[in-house]
Amino acid sequence: MTPAAPLFLLDGHPVPFKPGETLIEAATRAGRHIPHLCWHPGFAPHGSCRLCMVAIGERQLAACSTAAEAGLEVRLHGEALAAQRRTLLQLLFVEGNHFCPSCERSGACKLQAEACEAGVEGPHFEQLYPDRPVDASHPDVLLDLNRCILCGLCVRASAQHDGKAVFALGGRGLGTQLVVGSASGRLGDTDLAASDLAARICPVGAILPKRRGFAVPIGQRRYDAAPISALPETDDGMPPP
Amino acid sequence: MSLAGCFGCHMSFLDIDERLFALIERVEFDRSPLTDLKAVGRCDIGLVEGGLCNAENVQVLREFRAHCKTLVAVGACAINGGLPAQRNHLRIDELLRAVYQQRDGLAAGAQVPDDPELPLPLNRVHPIHEVVHIDYSLPGCPPSADAFWQFLTDLMAGRTPQLGHGLMHYD
């Protein structure tokens, strides 16, 4: 007889976990959605988006980088946590040029889907309107840094999955941005291929395949039918190759 | 009222179709592109589409704020500047010269219009909440007719408008 798996409580619901798993790994395996942008089951946590913040007692912790422990009482829902998530999403929106009406990732964008789910109706903060040039130098991949949320998924995918290290995060503070690892700084001068995971993993519209815009009819896009929390993790964020 | 808008939000509002008859039984329209009133009077609700791109937009927006108990930013442009704000990475003087002086096919000696009757453009397009307080935002480009209907019926019933999945979208 195998011993019962240890459990923690997520908003009162028991979630089984394997030793060494983080809260978000166990919750995702149990079919419970914890909002996130920079976490991906295939990679080590990044801890930059802060969307997965949960409350444990008096403390707030990122579910992506907190180990599950038996008996933990974890709160995800609640007005204060929801308001904080809305604020984080509003900050991400005003920091970039998120003009969804003309973005080819609209309807399949995790940032947009989490914001809709969180009930973000307006920005509340002053727009920064960044002015970073679009890099269209690559024959098959477009890079628009004005939409980049610095989740670092392309950085991790390129280094750890593709073995190429095409991307890195450079700069400091508000000046931090995604940089391209070629002498010219241009994407076209790297060995990135459109089939690389790094070219496909972007959860927003910053890294897009060329010549394949608006291919999915409105109503059939990833998040049209159901909110992001109702979809399995394996079915979101990762555009098909 | 439409500021730097495309009138698409007004068209989407009209897409409530025959529900307009039910609405008109309950409300009276003040200044609007659909009425002939030239100045805005005291109102319960002001619906504003479009961002701010010129001086007249700012003046009209302030008049609406002063006269409306509840002011609503309707559509992507009013909320974050929208697609017109894509001009924010260009210089406005260069844009005006490119269109009115340097474009192919213009008459010889064409100049940027400078009559004082014309409102001067702002350096950048702004969302309306950067100039006046906004009570609600109704997102979408445009918001769907059903979103308008849900929003207005909630507001008229004294409820905080709740859009929910399907009615809440930014595109």
Side-chain angles (χ1 to χ4, degrees):
Chain A
M1 196 174 125
T2 51
L7 301 167
F8 68 89
L9 293 176
L10 182 60
D11 286 332
H13 301 280
V15 176
F17 66 93
K18 298 171 189 162
E21 265 188 332
T22 59
L23 295 175
I24 201 170
E25 283 172 332
T28 301
R29 210 160 40 77
R32 295 197 172 272
H33 177 75
I34 295 182
H36 63 271
L37 292 170
C38 68
W39 178 74
H40 191 285
F43 296 100
H46 199 243
S48 59
C49 76
R50 313 315 284 169
L51 219 54
C52 69
M53 294 299 279
V54 292
I56 299 171
E58 296 298 306
R59 296 189 68 192
Q60 286 201 7
L61 295 155
C64 70
S65 46
T66 301
E69 288 176 39
L72 274 188
E73 293 183 24
V74 180
R75 279 178 292 121
L76 171 63
H77 293 292
E79 193 39 52
L81 284 162
Q84 179 172 285
R85 276 194 290 276
R86 281 197 295 276
T87 300
L88 288 165
L89 288 158
Q90 284 160 346
L91 288 168
L92 285 173
F93 267 85
V94 298
E95 281 171 16
N97 294 334
H98 296 286
F99 302 128
C100 304
S102 68
C103 178
E104 291 162 10
R105 192 49 59 77
S106 190
C109 167
K110 273 187 133 174
L111 173 65
Q112 186 190 59
E114 291 289 6
C116 279
E117 170 118 41
V120 174
E121 284 148 1
H124 289 271
F125 300 102
E126 210 167 299
Q127 296 285 146
L128 292 188
Y129 292 133
D131 183 11
R132 306 179 189 117
V134 168
D135 183 346
S137 60
H138 194 284
D140 302 315
V141 181
L142 182 78
L143 183 60
D144 184 348
L145 296 181
N146 299 307
R147 296 171 181 158
C148 175
I149 58 170
L150 305 176
C151 68
L153 278 173
C154 60
V155 178
R156 285 173 279 165
S158 186
Q160 296 162 33
H161 182 274
D162 306 331
K164 291 186 178 178
V166 167
F167 297 105
L169 297 181
R172 287 182 184 277
L174 260 184
T176 308
Q177 65 177 53
L178 188 68
V179 291
V180 172
S182 61
S184 63
R186 284 153 49 96
L187 200 57
D189 295 329
T190 67
D191 56 353
L192 179 79
S195 56
D196 287 353
L197 184 57
R200 297 181 282 117
I201 200 170
C202 181
V204 298
I207 303 176
L208 290 169
K210 284 187 173 179
R211 298 178 297 279
R212 215 197 63 193
F214 308 105
V216 182
I218 289 173
Q220 296 172 27
R221 302 171 304 181
R222 197 177 305 274
Y223 301 117
D224 280 342
I228 186 167
S229 63
L231 296 171
E233 174 66 31
T234 49
D235 195 30
D236 72 31
M238 184 92 75
Chain B
M1 175 48 55
S2 182
L3 304 174
C6 71
F7 281 93
C9 290
H10 279 83
M11 296 307 295
S12 197
F13 164 67
L14 294 178
D15 272 345
I16 64 174
D17 294 335
E18 67 270 26
R19 286 174 287 188
L20 268 172
F21 295 114
L23 184 67
I24 208 71
E25 295 291 320
R26 301 195 48 198
V27 304
E28 192 180 331
F29 283 94
D30 200 271
R31 178 180 168 182
S32 148
L34 314 171
T35 65
D36 201 27
L37 300 169
K38 310 299 185 204
V40 60
R42 298 267 160 218
C43 290
D44 290 319
I45 303 174
L47 302 176
V48 180
E49 77 160 55
L52 299 160
C53 80
N54 65 33
E56 188 200 16
N57 293 157
V58 177
Q59 185 190 342
V60 169
L61 177 63
R62 287 190 169 137
E63 281 170 17
F64 266 76
R65 178 68 276 182
H67 288 84
C68 300
K69 285 184 196 165
T70 298
L71 199 63
V72 185
V74 177
C77 298
I79 289 171
N80 72 355
L83 299 188
Q86 291 179 121
R87 83 150 153 94
N88 285 353
H89 74 106
L90 302 167
R91 286 179 54 120
I92 185 65
D93 54 338
E94 287 173 6
L95 273 176
L96 290 170
R97 276 198 293 273
V99 171
Y100 287 103
Q101 282 182 319
Q102 296 154 359
R103 194 160 44 97
D104 287 343
L106 293 174
Q111 293 295 319
V112 174
D114 65 349
D115 192 296
E117 188 163 326
L118 299 172
L120 281 169
L122 308 174
N123 269 354
R124 288 178 136 196
V125 175
H126 293 272
I128 64 174
H129 78 90
E130 290 183 9
V131 171
V132 299
H133 175 78
I134 291 298
D135 299 291
Y136 296 104
S137 297
L138 179 56
C141 186
S144 67
D146 287 340
F148 268 104
W149 186 247
Q150 176 78 41
F151 185 88
L152 290 173
T153 49
D154 277 349
L155 217 50
M156 287 190 295
R159 296 188 294 262
T160 299
Q162 299 283 348
L163 294 177
H165 185 79
L167 298 183
M168 176 85 136
H169 59 89
Y170 307 143
D171 58 353

